[in-house]
Amino acid sequence: MMDEKVLAAQRWVNATYGNVSGYNRCPENGTTGWATMYSLTRALQHELGITALSDNFGPTTLSRLASRGAIGPNEPKANIRIIVQHALFCKGYWGGDGRGTWDILTQDAVYDLKQNAGLSDTTTVVQPKVFKALLTMDAYVLTPGGSDVVRSIQRWLNGRFFHRSQFFLMPCDGHYSRDVQKALIFGIQYEIGMSDDVANGVFGPGTQAGLRENTLAQGDSGVFVRLFRAGMVFNDASQTFNDSFDAALAEDVLEFQGFSQLALNGRADFATWAQLLVSTGDPTRPAIGSDAITSVTPDRARTLIAQGYWIIGRYLDERPSDRPLNKQIQPGELATIFANDLRVFPISQYYGGEVGYFTYAQGFTDATEAHTAAARYGFDASTVIYFAVDYDATDEEIDSHIIPYFDGVVAGLRSRGRRYRHGVYGSRNVCIRVTEATDARWSFVSGMSTGFSGNMGFPLPRNWAFNQIAEISIGSGAGQIAIDRNVWRSGSDPGTASVGNSGSSVDQFIVWLNEVYSLALDYDRGDPALRVMEYLRADGYNDVAWWALLGTIDHQFVEYVNDSGLERMTRFRDPAAGDLYDVSHFGASCNGVLLKGIPDPRTNFNEADMATWAGDLITFYADWRRAHGRTGVSGFEYCLDELAKIGGENSFANHDMIADIDALEIGTALRFGASLPEELQRVFGSGGQYQHRFRQLWMNRFGSESATFHSIVRKALLGDLGLIMNNGRGKLLGGVTSPGDLPDDDVDDFIRGFEEVISLRIDEEPEGRLRTWRLG
């Protein structure tokens, strides 16, 4: 929005200094921005007699101002007083007449700014460091999305440490940022006794030594507790700011330590301080994860195991270049890894070192090539592949390039049947933003890059699995290997212990799932069938989109099963068509049916539909729209060619559809009292209902009526499903033309194709007795 006083400032500074050597004109648009602040900074430097003008308000500018004393009514140069007034206007304060008269309006503006910034100083003159703050874009009032608690900490830090020579005013806008993190470290350094010429805002050896001497526990109080609480608030680990270490803070600390994979003691020990202040945390703390560009030989595998590492990240692929690194998994390497009781997680990084690389098209290409490489090695379905952003991407670049790239990754993996899930490697901010925008399964944090702006002022992402904290070399001779140490978060991505699994038999699946069910009975917390489906869903269907649709899962039960030693089964050979059956897909879909139930009357639509056939149909629609731009094939033809295709790799292949139908069948029965072991046998056992899946779907979900079918499917594609499901549908569409923006005939053509595929599959099934679902 155009501001007349800002416009006046821009016109004045350009007119007054436009012919000065080294001055850069700012736009005259009435909008405050860095260009305006830089122009005012260069104007001030010129008035101070500095000839080499710069955007940077550095030591020379400060020292020249200090030699003049605080700027106020006695400042002899009117233009310096005018620069103050125009800077106040640009900050949103009424600076006075704009002609340099230091009147009551100017005095009130200076006073208000100091009060907003947390200073106890009540004078109405501008000290050098206040002048520096004036010529930034920092805000000293709460801005949208900011936190009152964070702002109270910002004001406290300013008020307590402003008199120290290296401490400059930080924003008081309620947002945690790089500058705020650095200010907190300065505050800690001052409180541990560092002099002004030693304190530097860096988490170095002196700061670390001082914190080791300041372990805090419940019952303590004072300034160090206040500093510690500030760190907890900044890391989203507490919402209270005072100087008392009470029982509530101890509980918050325990939760933060557990989340951060630290020793649980409820105290502010060095490891906890470090985790709050720097992205590596304590880089010497225990770590069992690693990643490397070097192949794992038998000797190196033994080194890894001997030094406590049991999971390693390795690169799937590498494109030819002038200086190839030969970093990809080597022939026979996976067998060596597994033979030595190591696990592996796959990384995809063809480049990723600068912003220009990241486009939607590049993400699509990288994903399809990563899929090809992962499938060639035999990685199982639902394996997470980490796609890398290996530079310090800013918020603007994340919006303009990184998120579109990951949208391409999602589409690329979907185009190959969603066999693999995408994860993200990058700074904390990259991981957080990409996860929010694209539902990345897990985050692999480049915590080792402590200087990245994306690691300073951001907490660990909620879905972090690996945090890269140190680069080291271990072993000797043939067993020597250079690795990055990664802290692995318990209960997150376990990596892969084997590849090339062809799938168990259906009988093995029944036995295995009954064992999970027995564990759920022993666990004895809530509906055991629901716990089972949550356990299945946890392997790939537990991101924020699923949380919004169905809520979270019982992670304690997942750990309970993992601790039992029962190996997770990911797929088996379906007895109907011999297709590989996706166990986690079935579990997620059945979880939805168990929680929400199939609606009655049948023309209604709910979350169980979205968790089963409708969600997959929406992504399949998106596949068609992407293909349509290249082939021009109609929706009807695309359905006949690709929908429910046995062995297919699109987003609604046969293995997806049969898992959805079985989830509808079993989930509905379980809602009305059937036992899971009996249902498994009835559906999958010899002569079971698997033989009549499509007949069951047509009769029980759509009433065996074409009109009902078209009504429900149109609602899935076009209807108002409520805020959560509307948002979910938008994400599944992934930016393609919405069904609502297509001609009705095109949408109907697509729906007719869906109906025709079901009809054809019914024709392939034997006659048999069907069971009517009880709906609602």
Side-chain angles (χ1 to χ4, degrees):
M1 180 180 295
M2 201 272 287
D3 185 303
E4 290 290 346
K5 300 305 291 184
V6 174
L7 179 60
Q10 294 167 334
R11 287 173 173 171
W12 177 83
V13 74
N14 283 339
T16 306
Y17 301 97
N19 294 324
V20 172
S21 176
Y23 174 80
N24 294 333
R25 298 178 67 88
C26 59
E28 297 180 7
N29 56 13
T31 302
T32 301
W34 276 111
T36 303
M37 293 306 190
Y38 291 153
S39 292
L40 290 170
T41 299
R42 288 174 182 259
L44 173 63
Q45 291 167 347
H46 175 73
E47 295 294 342
L48 294 174
I50 298 170
T51 55
L53 306 187
S54 167
D55 291 340
N56 181 41
F57 193 118
T60 302
T61 309
L62 274 173
S63 64
R64 292 287 181 94
L65 276 174
S67 68
R68 303 180 76 84
I71 305 300
N74 297 323
E75 166 55 47
K77 284 196 170 186
N79 277 359
I80 292 181
R81 299 196 303 273
I82 294 172
I83 290 169
V84 169
Q85 290 181 323
H86 283 315
L88 285 166
F89 286 131
C90 291
K91 280 284 196 205
Y93 299 90
W94 192 263
D97 63 5
R99 295 189 295 273
T101 305
W102 204 270
D103 57 16
I104 189 64
L105 294 175
T106 305
Q107 294 174 46
D108 285 349
V110 172
Y111 176 84
D112 288 345
L113 181 141
K114 289 182 177 181
Q115 292 302 300
N116 288 337
L119 301 184
S120 58
D121 173 22
T122 59
T123 64
T124 57
V125 293
V126 177
Q127 295 90 344
K129 288 198 288 184
V130 175
F131 212 145
K132 179 180 175 72
L134 268 175
L135 296 179
T136 69
M137 289 296 295
D138 292 343
Y140 298 99
V141 295
L142 193 68
T143 59
S147 159
D148 285 318
V149 179
V150 170
R151 182 169 185 263
S152 70
I153 298 171
Q154 293 169 323
R155 296 183 72 248
W156 176 78
L157 287 168
N158 280 342
R160 186 172 181 87
F161 302 113
F162 180 68
H163 67 285
R164 303 299 293 257
S165 65
Q166 297 304 307
F167 190 95
F168 296 95
L169 283 184
M170 78 175 82
C172 296
D173 55 4
H175 295 273
Y176 183 37
S177 66
R178 176 182 188 145
D179 288 341
V180 177
Q181 179 174 329
K182 189 170 183 178
L184 178 59
I185 295 177
F186 264 118
I188 290 168
Q189 291 173 334
Y190 295 141
E191 294 297 341
I192 62 178
M194 286 189 181
S195 61
D196 284 352
D197 59 343
V198 174
N200 57 8
V202 176
F203 190 72
T207 307
Q208 295 172 33
L211 288 176
R212 291 182 191 278
E213 297 175 0
N214 280 280
T215 295
L216 306 170
Q218 186 173 338
D220 288 336
S221 61
V223 67
F224 275 101
V225 173
R226 192 173 283 271
L227 290 164
F228 180 76
R229 275 191 178 274
M232 290 287 288
V233 171
F234 292 156
N235 282 269
D236 292 340
S238 178
Q239 285 302 310
T240 305
F241 181 56
N242 56 48
D243 62 2
S244 174
F245 201 125
D246 55 17
L249 178 59
E251 187 173 334
D252 288 343
V253 172
L254 280 171
E255 184 175 347
F256 176 74
Q257 289 170 333
F259 173 71
S260 303
Q261 206 65 34
L262 303 175
L264 301 177
N265 55 33
R267 299 193 300 271
D269 57 11
F270 173 72
T272 306
W273 274 108
Q275 190 64 33
L276 292 172
L277 297 172
V278 65
S279 57
T280 57
D282 176 7
T284 66
R285 70 188 187 275
I288 60 176
S290 61
D291 68 272
I293 63 171
T294 307
S295 64
V296 179
T297 63
D299 288 327
R300 291 168 178 166
R302 286 189 284 272
T303 294
L304 288 165
I305 288 294
Q307 300 213 17
Y309 299 95
W310 64 264
I311 186 168
I312 187 165
R314 290 287 289 118
Y315 292 85
L316 284 173
D317 204 4
E318 184 177 29
R319 294 192 181 112
S321 66
D322 293 335
R323 293 166 55 186
L325 296 173
N326 199 33
K327 65 182 182 179
Q328 71 269 30
I329 298 168
Q330 299 296 305
E333 182 180 351
L334 291 177
T336 297
I337 288 172
F338 302 143
N340 285 274
D341 293 325
L342 288 166
R343 304 178 75 95
V344 67
F345 62 94
I347 305 167
S348 176
Q349 184 181 358
Y350 293 106
Y351 179 54
E354 61 184 21
V355 63
Y357 179 81
F358 293 94
T359 65
Y360 179 95
Q362 190 64 61
F364 192 96
T365 297
D366 287 358
T368 55
E369 293 188 16
H371 168 97
T372 299
R376 182 174 66 246
Y377 291 121
F379 280 96
D380 292 342
S382 297
T383 297
V384 174
I385 300 173
Y386 294 88
F387 292 84
V389 180
D390 202 11
Y391 83 103
D392 188 14
T394 64
D395 252 333
E396 293 77 11
E397 291 168 348
I398 293 171
D399 285 330
S400 63
H401 287 75
I402 306 304
I403 289 175
Y405 171 86
F406 275 89
D407 285 338
V409 167
V410 171
L413 292 177
R414 185 182 296 134
S415 74
R416 295 296 184 269
R418 293 189 304 176
R419 176 173 177 175
Y420 301 115
R421 301 293 308 281
H422 76 288
V424 53
Y425 168 87
S427 69
R428 291 180 172 192
N429 191 31
V430 164
C431 290
I432 291 168
R433 295 286 314 283
V434 168
T435 296
E436 289 175 347
T438 69
D439 295 331
R441 179 66 187 93
W442 297 111
S443 288
F444 177 12
V445 182
S446 57
M448 200 163 59
S449 302
T450 55
F452 274 14
S453 62
N455 277 332
M456 297 182 70
F458 298 95
L460 272 173
R462 302 305 299 177
N463 68 337
W464 79 274
F466 302 97
N467 187 16
Q468 196 178 60
I469 63 169
E471 183 179 6
I472 63 172
S473 178
I474 58 176
S476 61
Q480 187 173 17
I481 181 172
I483 63 168
D484 296 327
R485 300 181 73 238
N486 298 327
V487 175
W488 175 75
R489 180 181 168 200
S490 178
S492 69
D493 185 358
T496 297
S498 62
V499 295
N501 299 315
S502 60
S504 306
S505 71
V506 68
D507 291 335
Q508 290 173 307
F509 168 69
I510 293 172
V511 170
W512 174 79
L513 201 59
N514 281 333
E515 291 184 41
V516 179
Y517 183 70
S518 295
L519 289 170
L521 292 173
D522 293 340
Y523 184 68
D524 195 22
R525 297 181 196 172
D527 179 1
L530 185 59
R531 296 289 86 79
V532 170
M533 299 310 160
E534 289 174 347
Y535 170 73
L536 301 185
R537 169 187 155 196
D539 186 24
Y541 293 84
N542 190 34
D543 54 33
V544 291
W546 283 91
W547 299 342
L549 185 67
L550 302 178
T552 58
I553 66 174
D554 186 337
H555 291 281
Q556 290 184 328
F557 177 64
V558 175
E559 293 182 10
Y560 183 78
V561 178
N562 292 340
D563 291 344
S564 74
L566 184 66
E567 288 288 330
R568 180 181 285 275
M569 182 179 290
T570 60
R571 54 187 181 171
F572 64 90
R573 286 286 174 190
D574 180 66
D579 218 352
L580 283 175
Y581 195 102
D582 188 337
V583 174
S584 58
H585 188 128
F586 163 73
S589 298
C590 196
N591 189 191
V593 178
L594 273 173
L595 288 173
K596 304 298 181 179
I598 303 304
D600 189 22
R602 297 188 181 96
T603 51
N604 285 347
F605 183 96
N606 73 356
E607 295 88 345
D609 292 310
M610 186 63 79
T612 55
W613 63 272
D616 284 327
L617 183 68
I618 292 166
T619 57
F620 183 77
Y621 165 89
D623 291 345
W624 165 51
R625 295 312 303 164
R626 294 188 188 95
H628 182 272
R630 301 189 302 273
T631 65
V633 67
S634 72
F636 184 86
E637 293 172 313
Y638 191 76
C639 286
L640 291 185
D641 290 342
E642 300 293 339
L643 184 61
K645 187 175 181 179
I646 295 173
E649 291 191 336
N650 60 65
S651 63
F652 206 1
N654 179 71
H655 60 83
D656 296 312
M657 187 172 283
I658 62 177
D660 289 337
I661 298 172
D662 291 343
L664 290 166
E665 173 78 13
I666 293 175
T668 303
L670 294 177
R671 279 179 63 84
F672 292 98
S675 76
L676 181 57
E678 290 174 355
E679 281 302 300
L680 291 174
Q681 191 61 42
R682 189 183 67 79
V683 172
F684 293 108
S686 178
Q689 289 296 125
Y690 70 84
Q691 300 177 93
H692 315 296
R693 285 182 174 118
F694 288 85
R695 292 177 185 274
Q696 291 276 167
L697 176 70
W698 183 248
M699 180 182 75
N700 287 320
R701 183 62 194 93
F702 303 114
S704 300
E705 294 183 2
S706 182
T708 301
F709 174 85
H710 279 255
S711 174
I712 296 172
V713 176
R714 280 187 68 84
K715 185 159 189 176
L717 294 173
L718 300 162
D720 183 1
L721 308 177
L723 179 63
I724 291 175
M725 287 193 285
N726 284 344
N727 287 340
R729 179 171 60 194
K731 283 191 171 292
L732 293 174
L733 290 173
V736 304
T737 304
S738 168
D741 294 330
L742 285 186
D744 254 4
D745 287 348
D746 289 354
V747 177
D748 287 339
D749 195 49
F750 178 78
I751 296 173
R752 283 195 309 107
F754 183 20
E755 182 181 20
E756 181 67 15
V757 168
I758 293 175
S759 177
L760 291 172
R761 294 300 294 271
I762 288 173
D763 290 344
E764 296 171 358
E765 291 180 341
E767 296 288 342
R769 184 177 179 180
L770 305 181
R771 184 173 69 169
T772 302
W773 298 345
R774 294 172 62 190
L775 304 180

